[in-house]
Amino acid sequence: RYRAHRRRAPLAHILPLDPPPTPIPPSRGRPTTNSMPVHAQLNGLYTAPADPTEIRTFRPVGSHLGDKTSEWWLARDQDVFVLMHNALRGEVTKLESVLFTLGDKTLKEWEIQAIRDHWTGHYESLKEHFKIEDEIMHPFVKTRVDILGDAFRESHEELAELAHAVDRTINNHTWATAKELSPSLHAYRTALWPHFIEEENIVIPLTRAYFTQKEVGDAFGTVLRTKKSSAARRLVLGSIVHHLAGGKEGTMTFLARCGFERFAWYQGWRKLRAHYRARMESKLESLLQGEELVCKHKAEMTHLRRLKSLPISERIVRRPSASVTLSMDLRNEMLFNKVDAPSARPETPPPVAKLAKNRRGSMDSNEGSVGRVKRAMEDVERSRGKMDARVEVAAK
């Protein structure tokens, strides 16, 4: 009789239920997407890393536990999400720097076409990147934990609209100087950086908590094995391989982590990288050297390797905002020609803004530790020279 009573008793009489979660109110003064409030966890460059133990915000699916973080030995900057983002970061950063270098110089017909070709390739890669995340990687993560519902899909839609506005400016409008394109591209880069930081700070901690390193590598391996499906997918994969640190050895190690044999480098991946360099990097090198070139080796890109990146916009540093809101605001400003042009003034961003820069501090991720140490020693020597000069002036 007692057992029958326990079976018939409601669960609420045995264990108290947690109160329902409080709905997140929309932020004051912040526009919304599709009449839905912007998720409070997303705050641009200042997005706090996700805590897997906060199960009210990041709800586990079924009986899965977020207890696998300690099993990961791979560095965070080698995560598949970071590598995909670094490829797109590198493309738009180099293009913006090249446009700033060209300035108000009247461009020739082939130079205008080179800029359009490079942007078109990046735009195709961006759309394919969103497709990979929305259809493969994010659904894979959501099988074990919720990653803020459809918040990232909405960010993708708004950012795609902004990129489409830039595409119309570059491919549909008539322009004669690179200076005319700089404000639009700078606005696009300003919205792209916070979105990447939001994804990396939310998705990566949850992925590492609920999945093993091999499971994530195998899931991304399904993306790599479809390299013959479309030209855009091949361009995305070629960009990832080009921006990987370590050259051929780094690529072979990356492929091994994704379930490939190390000799897979010789079975098409080397051609993918060469195709990307001829399609994308050669355009920028040609613009810098003033003649049409086709480069397949990094040693041939002498001007591009010396290119310096422009600082990120102070807008996203001083006024934290979700990327979905920022994309909407910048697109509206572009319609009324109120977008600010990039600045080459050197600045020292706060530590959180350093995440928006390339992880290795240069235009390409292939520069090793020797180059970083050399730059650091040059900075020390420069500082000593300035200090000696000040001492001499004080002595006089």
Side-chain angles (χ1 to χ4, degrees), residues 58 77 89 136 192 197 208 267 287 317 359 390:
F58 310 105
D77 60 355
R89 283 188 184 108
I136 300 178
L192 191 67
I197 296 300
R208 295 188 167 212
Q267 298 178 343
L287 290 169
V317 177
R359 292 301 189 273
R390 293 175 181 175

Side-chain angles (χ1 to χ4, degrees), residues 72-83 86 204 208 243-246 250 253-254 257 359-360 365:
W72 282 70
W73 55 264
L74 187 66
R76 185 179 184 274
D77 60 355
Q78 293 299 312
D79 195 276
V80 293
F81 289 98
V82 176
L83 295 180
N86 280 348
I204 291 178
R208 295 188 167 212
H243 291 92
L244 274 175
T253 304
F254 166 71
R257 292 199 302 265
R359 292 301 189 273
R360 296 186 176 269
S365 298

Side-chain angles (χ1 to χ4, degrees), residues 109-380:
E109 190 63 31
W110 71 266
E111 292 175 319
I112 294 176
Q113 189 60 42
I115 294 175
R116 286 175 172 168
D117 290 344
H118 188 277
W119 164 256
T120 301
H122 172 78
Y123 185 43
E124 293 174 358
S125 298
L126 179 74
K127 292 187 292 185
E128 187 67 20
H129 170 78
F130 288 162
K131 183 178 178 181
I132 291 173
E133 288 188 337
D134 291 338
E135 298 181 3
I136 300 178
M137 297 308 297
H138 287 177
F140 164 73
V141 179
K142 288 181 180 180
T143 58
R144 297 187 183 179
V145 60
D146 176 59
I147 49 174
L148 306 183
D150 292 331
F152 290 123
R153 182 180 290 272
E154 295 171 358
S155 298
H156 290 170
E157 292 173 356
E158 292 298 331
L159 192 56
E161 289 292 332
L162 178 61
H164 182 60
V166 179
D167 182 69
R168 291 198 306 266
T169 302
I170 295 178
N171 286 322
N172 296 351
H173 295 179
T174 301
W175 43 273
T177 63
K179 187 177 181 180
E180 302 174 42
L181 305 177
S182 293
S184 298
L185 194 66
H186 187 64
Y188 165 69
R189 184 188 176 209
T190 300
L192 191 67
W193 256 236
H195 170 69
F196 286 162
I197 296 300
E198 289 173 352
E199 280 193 344
E200 292 170 7
N201 285 356
I202 298 296
V203 178
I204 291 178
L206 297 177
T207 302
R208 295 188 167 212
Y210 285 89
F211 297 88
T212 64
Q213 183 172 312
K214 185 179 184 304
E215 289 173 335
V216 176
D218 293 342
F220 193 69
T222 61
V223 178
L224 303 181
R225 287 182 174 85
T226 57
K227 57 180 179 295
K228 295 183 178 180
S229 60
S230 66
R233 181 67 58 87
R234 292 195 297 270
L235 201 61
V236 169
L237 301 183
S239 179
I240 294 175
V241 173
H242 169 76
H243 291 92
L244 274 175
K248 181 180 73 172
E249 290 296 329
T251 303
M252 294 170 70
T253 304
F254 166 71
L255 294 176
R257 292 199 302 265
C258 297
F260 289 81
E261 298 292 339
R262 286 180 60 86
F263 57 80
W265 163 257
Y266 302 100
Q267 298 178 343
W269 289 94
R270 179 172 55 180
K271 293 182 180 179
L272 275 179
R273 189 181 70 173
H275 169 72
Y276 171 81
R277 290 177 175 176
R279 167 81 186 273
M280 300 289 289
E281 298 292 288
S282 296
K283 307 297 183 182
L284 301 181
E285 183 67 22
S286 301
L287 290 169
L288 294 174
Q289 293 198 23
E291 58 178 339
E292 296 186 73
L293 302 171
V294 177
C295 305
K296 295 184 178 181
H297 302 282
K298 187 161 290 187
E300 303 171 359
M301 306 174 191
T302 55
H303 290 66
L304 198 57
R305 293 173 63 183
R306 294 196 299 265
L307 197 63
K308 300 297 182 181
S309 61
L310 299 178
I312 60 176
S313 174
E314 293 185 2
R315 174 176 185 168
I316 56 178
V317 177
R318 300 182 184 275
R319 291 184 292 171
S321 176
S323 63
V324 60
T325 302
L326 194 60
S327 299
M328 296 172 62
D329 293 342
L330 289 171
R331 182 159 54 90
N332 293 333
E333 293 173 10
M334 285 181 60
L335 296 177
F336 297 98
N337 297 324
K338 293 183 179 180
V339 180
D340 297 330
S343 172
R345 178 177 61 84
E347 59 182 12
T348 304
V352 67
K354 292 182 180 180
L355 296 174
K357 288 193 172 184
N358 192 297
R359 292 301 189 273
R360 296 186 176 269
S362 63
M363 301 300 292
D364 272 320
S365 298
N366 288 338
E367 184 182 6
S369 59
V370 177
R372 296 198 302 275
V373 173
K374 183 178 179 181
R375 288 201 315 275
M377 296 192 62
E378 291 175 355
D379 294 339
V380 171

Side-chain angles (χ1 to χ4, degrees), residues 31-48:
T32 58
T33 304
N34 298 332
S35 301
M36 294 293 292
V38 177
H39 204 287
Q41 298 293 327
L42 303 181
N43 199 23
L45 296 183
Y46 297 90
T47 300

